[in-house]
Amino acid sequence: MTSFLYRAETLLIRGLLAVIRALPAAAASNLGGGVARTIGPALPVSKIADRNLQLAMPELGAVARRRIVRDCWDNLGRTVGEFPHIGHLKHNTASGAGWSVEGAEHLEAAKALGRPVIFFSGHIGNWELMPPVVARYGMPFASFYRAASNPGVDGLIHGLRQEAMGQDVPMFPKGAKGARSALKHLSKGGHLGVLGDQKMNDGIEARLFGRSAMTASAAAVFALRHDALIVTGHVRRDGPARLVLVVDPPFSPEKTDDRAKDVLALTQLFNDRLESWIREIPGSWLWLHRRWDKSLYRNMATPC
């Protein structure tokens, strides 16, 4: 039965992707956003988003939180709608669908140094844009992934990402085995991308929006171990399928004689950057995961 359901689900998603791919990129973005912002706010998971907003931005009232949750769903739906089109978007279009880079000189400077680079970002805007754009600047990077439970769907997602990159790049499964492979990749001069904004129960305790948040330390550990250059950045959405990769200046991790302290300091820097990006456009972040301690999510009320 499970095998049958997996095949049926794969066929359904393959068909939906074919429909989305047949649409112009902006139309696919509008369709995805419209469906998601209509249905999403009524789903139970939106209570988690509302609670996250109460914890992160207690100054917001119920109306403002509802608007951000709706924007969150809109962004997620647009990201799904744009996914099959990412590799085909035009560079620096005057209007309409396309992509551009703010801080392209930082990518060029990082490439010129010839060092392994860790690219750090979060689930902001259309996060699927960063890998193919950075690859076009000559620095294709490997990344971590959590495989979908359905192998057929996982293959579809993997195929779309490789298509957008225009080349075959490693993708490491989350966990100890993937971490070892990623370290080996860096040791050979490869580059690595990390989306570090989700809760990691076996991570380290850093702060996010003034609250203790268990945070993955892999990006910091890898950068310090291999003296990798660090480039942080995020994707800003300026319209339907009109996306901007905002890149910060590259920097080297600071080292002292206390490795644990160095890891925490760098991990905190990553969280601080995430928070600053989220505060700029709150509705562009994926608020749908329990980011803080599970005790803070008990007895959640339905959003007002």
Side-chain angles (χ1 to χ4, degrees):
M1 180 60 71
T2 298
S3 177
F4 171 78
L5 291 175
Y6 277 170
R7 289 198 298 271
E9 182 184 47
T10 301
L11 287 172
L12 175 61
I13 292 178
R14 191 188 299 275
L16 290 173
L17 287 173
V19 171
I20 293 171
R21 192 189 290 270
L23 295 171
S29 176
N30 286 334
L31 175 62
V35 171
R37 69 174 177 265
T38 300
I39 298 173
L43 299 178
V45 71
S46 288
K47 291 193 289 185
I48 295 174
D50 185 75
R51 181 58 177 156
N52 282 333
L53 283 162
Q54 292 176 39
L55 295 170
M57 301 180 179
E59 70 277 8
L60 297 177
V63 173
R65 296 199 307 273
R66 280 201 305 271
R67 182 176 64 251
I68 292 171
V69 171
R70 182 177 181 274
D71 289 346
C72 167
W73 279 106
D74 178 79
N75 182 70
L76 178 58
R78 289 182 182 279
T79 297
V80 172
E82 293 159 359
F83 191 20
H85 297 276
I86 287 290
H88 308 286
L89 294 178
K90 302 294 184 181
H91 184 208
N92 284 339
T93 55
S95 61
W99 63 272
S100 60
V101 179
E102 289 183 5
E105 68 274 13
H106 302 318
L107 292 177
E108 293 163 356
K111 185 176 187 299
L113 290 172
R115 292 166 54 186
V117 181
I118 290 181
F119 294 93
F120 178 88
S121 190
H123 293 83
I124 298 173
N126 190 329
W127 54 89
E128 296 288 350
L129 180 76
M130 192 172 189
V133 168
V134 173
R136 282 162 175 74
Y137 279 81
M139 292 178 291
F141 60 76
S143 58
F144 292 102
Y145 77 101
R146 179 178 283 112
S149 58
N150 182 338
V153 172
D154 189 62
L156 291 175
I157 295 170
H158 186 80
L160 284 172
R161 285 177 174 154
Q162 297 290 14
E163 176 188 311
M165 291 281 284
Q167 55 193 290
D168 192 17
V169 295
M171 294 184 69
F172 305 123
K174 292 187 175 181
K177 183 178 179 181
R180 289 193 296 269
S181 298
L183 282 170
K184 185 176 180 180
H185 181 73
L186 283 171
S187 71
K188 294 180 177 180
H191 310 306
L192 182 67
V194 177
L195 294 176
D197 54 349
Q198 293 187 345
K199 183 181 180 184
M200 184 68 68
N201 289 327
D202 57 353
I204 62 175
E205 189 173 328
R207 308 289 291 180
L208 184 65
F209 288 94
R211 292 183 177 275
S212 174
M214 297 304 292
T215 305
S217 61
V221 169
F222 293 171
L224 289 161
R225 185 171 298 180
H226 288 286
D227 195 30
L229 195 67
I230 299 170
V231 177
T232 63
H234 67 288
V235 177
R236 186 182 74 232
R237 181 183 301 285
D238 281 359
R242 187 166 183 81
L243 306 167
V244 181
L245 175 60
V246 182
V247 184
D248 304 318
F251 65 95
S252 297
E254 294 186 6
K255 294 183 178 180
T256 69
D257 293 333
D258 188 335
R259 177 56 63 90
K261 182 178 178 181
D262 295 342
V263 169
L264 177 57
L266 186 51
T267 301
Q268 186 60 59
L269 184 151
F270 289 146
N271 272 6
D272 291 344
R273 294 208 174 177
L274 281 167
E275 182 176 335
S276 69
W277 301 333
I278 296 165
R279 285 189 180 276
E280 285 178 12
I281 310 176
S284 69
W285 191 44
L286 193 64
W287 290 93
L288 303 175
H289 299 280
R290 289 177 171 87
R291 187 61 189 86
W292 290 278
D293 187 87
K294 62 182 180 181
S295 65
L296 298 171
Y297 297 90
R298 292 174 185 153
N299 302 318
M300 288 187 300
T302 301
C304 299

